[in-house]
């Protein structure tokens, strides 16, 4: 009985061993059909079927390269110099003549308002009566050099206490009047229309710009500015 059981167990182990080694076949069909497996990997024969209304998500388009920034305009492409009075313009012409700039140089006559003198004054008092009362006050303080302005101008019914070519002289007169007890006076510039000349220079190279700057530097009250 024991011998029979031994041989049965031995035979069962042998069958299991053979099965595990694949000697008795396999239930996995794809393991024994390599050609079929290769056929399933032919991806070039696949066709994608999508339901109606579906849409593919497109890959984002590469960002367009940024346009190069516009070149900044050259502030020295056009240079304006001025304003010259007649005598200064003649001198400036002589200084820049050797540059022989031709059409790159133009000159323009302009009219400007400029201060030509300085007045020590008591601002407009609003009426003739008010101006005469202030004049009487000045006379009582010992001031005799005064004049009531009665023309139809913005300074009508003001009182002039002296007109001077230089501002420094006007300030000196104002200080003296304050010492005498005069109040309410101040210095005001008087303007008039004057003819002046300006120059414009275009497309100058570095050497011409340097020569122009040297010429302008010989004038104390002349400035240089960019133009269009």
């Amino acid at each position: 009985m024991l011998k029979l059981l031994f041989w049965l167990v031995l035979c069962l182990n042998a069958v299991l061993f053979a099965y595990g080694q694949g000697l008795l076949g396999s239930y996995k069909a794809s393991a024994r059909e390599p050609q079929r497996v290769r056929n399933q990997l032919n991806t070039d024969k696949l066709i994608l079927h999508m339901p109606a209304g579906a849409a593919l998500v497109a890959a984002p388009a590469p960002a367009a390269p940024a346009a190069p920034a516009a070149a900044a305009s050259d502030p020295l492409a056009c240079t304006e110099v001025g304003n010259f009075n007649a005598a200064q313009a003649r001198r400036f012409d002589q200084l820049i003549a050797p540059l022989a700039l031709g059409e790159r140089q133009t000159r323009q006559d302009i009219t400007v308002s400029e201060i030509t003198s300085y007045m020590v004054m008591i601002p407009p008092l609003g009426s003739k009566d008010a101006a005469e009362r202030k004049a009487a006050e000045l006379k009582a303080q010992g001031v005799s050099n005064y004049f009531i302005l009665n023309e139809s101008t913005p300074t009508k019914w003001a009182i002039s206490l002296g007109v001077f070519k230089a501002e420094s002289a006007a300030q000196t007169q104002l200080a003296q009047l304050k010492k005498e007890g005069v109040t309410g006076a101040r210095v005001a510039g008087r303007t008039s229309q004057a003819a002046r000349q300006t120059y414009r220079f275009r497309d100058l190279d570095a050497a011409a710009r340097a020569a122009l700057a040297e010429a302008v530097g010989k004038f104390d009250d002349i400035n240089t500015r960019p133009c269009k």
Side-chain angles (χ1 to χ4, degrees):
M1 183 66 181
L2 291 176
K3 289 183 180 181
L4 178 60
L5 181 59
F6 170 78
W7 286 110
L8 287 175
V9 173
L10 182 61
C11 291
L12 179 59
N13 287 336
V15 171
L16 292 175
F17 176 78
Y19 177 78
Q21 296 298 317
L23 299 178
L24 300 180
S26 172
Y27 290 104
K28 297 179 181 179
S30 62
R32 310 300 296 175
E33 298 180 26
Q35 184 62 34
R36 182 178 177 184
V37 173
R38 284 195 300 271
N39 289 340
Q40 290 177 347
L41 298 180
N42 291 336
T43 57
D44 59 320
K45 297 180 182 180
L46 295 177
I47 300 176
L48 179 63
H49 293 275
M50 298 182 61
L56 289 174
V57 178
S73 57
D74 183 358
L76 297 178
C78 177
T79 301
E80 185 173 86
V81 182
N83 302 322
F84 295 93
N85 60 33
Q88 290 172 325
R90 288 192 296 270
R91 181 186 174 200
F92 189 65
D93 282 334
Q94 294 174 351
L95 292 173
I96 62 175
L99 298 179
L101 298 175
E103 294 181 353
R104 291 179 293 166
Q105 169 190 330
T106 58
R107 174 174 164 174
Q108 181 180 9
D109 295 328
I110 61 173
T111 301
V112 298
S113 295
E114 61 180 24
I115 296 177
T116 55
S117 62
Y118 297 87
M119 178 188 291
V120 180
M121 63 180 294
I122 294 175
L125 296 165
S127 68
K128 179 181 178 181
D129 290 343
E132 289 179 344
R133 286 196 299 271
K134 185 64 177 177
E137 179 184 324
L138 291 171
K139 186 176 181 179
Q141 291 172 320
V143 178
S144 58
N145 184 24
Y146 63 84
F147 179 77
I148 297 175
L149 303 176
N150 56 12
E151 299 90 351
S152 296
T153 65
T155 58
K156 187 174 184 179
W157 307 130
I159 299 178
S160 171
L161 298 169
V163 178
F164 303 87
K165 187 69 175 178
E167 184 180 8
S168 58
Q171 294 292 350
T172 299
Q173 173 69 357
L174 178 62
Q176 180 60 36
L177 290 169
K178 288 181 176 179
K179 289 180 180 180
E180 296 174 5
V182 176
T183 60
R186 62 182 178 84
V187 173
R190 301 178 70 193
T191 62
S192 62
Q193 298 298 305
R196 292 290 182 265
Q197 290 77 41
T198 61
Y199 292 76
R200 286 190 174 188
F201 303 91
R202 297 183 181 276
D203 303 323
L204 302 184
D205 56 27
R209 289 176 181 172
L212 177 61
E214 182 179 357
V216 174
K218 297 182 182 297
F219 299 85
D220 294 334
D221 55 347
I222 299 299
N223 58 73
T224 300
R225 51 198 175 269
C227 55
K228 296 181 180 180

